[in-house]
Amino acid sequence: MAEQGDIAKSKATEVATLVAKPELPLKIASRLYRDVEKGAQTFDRILSDMEDADVSDELLEAADALAELWSKLSVASANKPRELQGLPPITMSGAPH
């Protein structure tokens, strides 16, 4: 889990750095989005395996926090290419009721 946290934190730094650049080429922004989606999908599989393996609640809470981070990174990285193309941003809805 620590390794997955390090991966997510590293990707978060990369996303924050790149999406802040107004002159970021669309090709780079699109590649960033694909990379984030790949990482998020990988983590989703890990999370699913953890849930199936009946790991501790504490570990699942940490995994859920990482899944939330991946979700935010996905939206942030998706919005940069949209911004560069003049499209409206994607917003995250609140928690389901």
Side-chain angles (χ1 to χ4, degrees), residues 1 43 47 51 57 59-69:
M1 183 55 68
F43 189 74
L47 181 58
E51 290 168 345
D57 288 344
L59 199 53
L60 278 177
E61 286 176 21
D64 284 341
L66 279 178
E68 178 68 19
L69 175 57

Side-chain angles (χ1 to χ4, degrees), residues 42-55 60:
T42 297
F43 189 74
D44 282 346
R45 286 190 296 275
I46 291 169
L47 181 58
S48 179
D49 289 347
M50 289 175 66
E51 290 168 345
D52 292 345
D54 195 33
V55 298
L60 278 177

